[in-house]
């Protein structure tokens, strides 16, 4: 027996996930701008005060990511490739367990042909930064990544500088 399928409910779920992903993209852009403006305003002299002010922002940021996790993971199919990459980067940075990044990675690999080379590079970097080792990612790196990116990753792994 199959569960009843309601296309309206599926659309609504994906739309909620899409909106949350847009909010996460905006949050990341706002955080980056505020960090740049804070570092420019301090001029590097007041490192202690900028670190003290960054701690509450980080905990708020992490709590927002934790609150958004169920929505984002339930609606991964409705997110654009750029939103999937941003979500993977955000969840890879935090102290969250890598299962969320793993779910994002699996959906991204399913739709890998829609990703640009830069998005694939960022997705791979997010998975490496959180220590995620996935056999599907390893296979995609060998067979489905663009040829130039495969070569770039091989040279980076071998320890030679990429120019």
């Amino acid at each position: 027996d199959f569960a009843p399928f309601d296309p309206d409910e599926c659309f609504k779920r994906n739309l909620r996930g899409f909106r949350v992903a847009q909010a996460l993209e905006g949050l990341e852009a706002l955080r980056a701008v505020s960090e740049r403006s804070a570092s420019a305003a301090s001029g590097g002299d007041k490192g202690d005060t900028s670190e003290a002010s960054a701690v509450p922002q980080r905990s708020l940021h992490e709590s927002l990511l934790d609150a958004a996790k169920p929505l984002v993971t339930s609606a991964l199919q409705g997110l654009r490739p750029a939103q999937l990459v941003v979500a993977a980067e955000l969840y890879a940075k935090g102290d969250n367990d890598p299962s969320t990044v793993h779910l994002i990675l699996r959906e991204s690999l399913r739709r890998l042909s829609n990703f640009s080379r830069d998005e694939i590079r960022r997705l791979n970097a997010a998975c490496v930064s959180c220590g995620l080792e996935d056999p599907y990612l390893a296979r995609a790196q060998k067979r489905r990544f663009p040829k130039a990116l495969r070569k770039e990753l091989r040279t980076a792994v071998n320890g030679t500088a990429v120019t």
Side-chain angles (χ1 to χ4, degrees):
D1 292 329
F2 293 104
F5 176 72
D6 183 11
D8 290 332
E9 183 59 36
C10 184
F11 177 76
K12 289 176 186 175
R13 182 197 68 217
N14 287 346
L15 187 60
R16 282 191 306 267
F18 182 78
R19 288 180 178 152
V20 169
Q22 282 182 324
L24 291 177
E25 283 179 323
L27 178 69
E28 180 63 16
L30 181 63
R31 187 187 60 76
V33 167
S34 66
E35 283 180 358
R36 282 196 304 260
S37 65
S39 66
S42 68
D45 294 338
K46 300 177 183 176
D48 295 333
T49 59
S50 64
E51 289 177 15
S53 65
V55 172
Q57 291 176 354
R58 181 54 72 188
S59 65
L60 176 63
H61 188 256
E62 288 176 354
S63 63
L64 179 62
L65 287 175
D66 286 340
K69 188 187 307 187
L71 267 174
V72 171
T73 56
S74 69
L76 289 173
Q77 298 85 6
L79 303 184
R80 295 187 325 251
Q83 292 173 325
L84 285 169
V85 170
V86 168
E89 289 173 338
L90 288 172
Y91 283 106
K93 283 181 193 174
D95 293 332
N96 301 310
D97 74 60
S99 64
T100 306
V101 180
H102 191 253
L103 290 172
I104 296 168
L105 171 69
R106 288 292 173 98
E107 177 60 25
S108 300
L109 290 175
R110 188 181 71 79
R111 298 188 300 162
L112 194 61
S113 62
N114 296 329
F115 283 68
S116 69
R117 188 182 324 167
D118 183 53
E119 290 169 340
I120 294 172
R121 183 182 298 115
R122 289 172 48 204
L123 179 68
N124 186 56
C127 292
V128 168
S129 73
C130 74
L132 184 65
E133 293 182 16
D134 184 67
Y136 292 108
L137 177 62
R139 181 174 170 85
Q141 287 173 343
K142 293 179 181 175
R143 296 182 180 250
R144 295 183 60 205
F145 279 20
K147 193 171 189 174
L149 184 57
R150 287 188 298 210
K151 184 178 178 182
E152 179 183 321
L153 290 174
R154 267 195 312 268
T155 56
V157 167
N158 292 336
T160 57
V162 178
T163 56

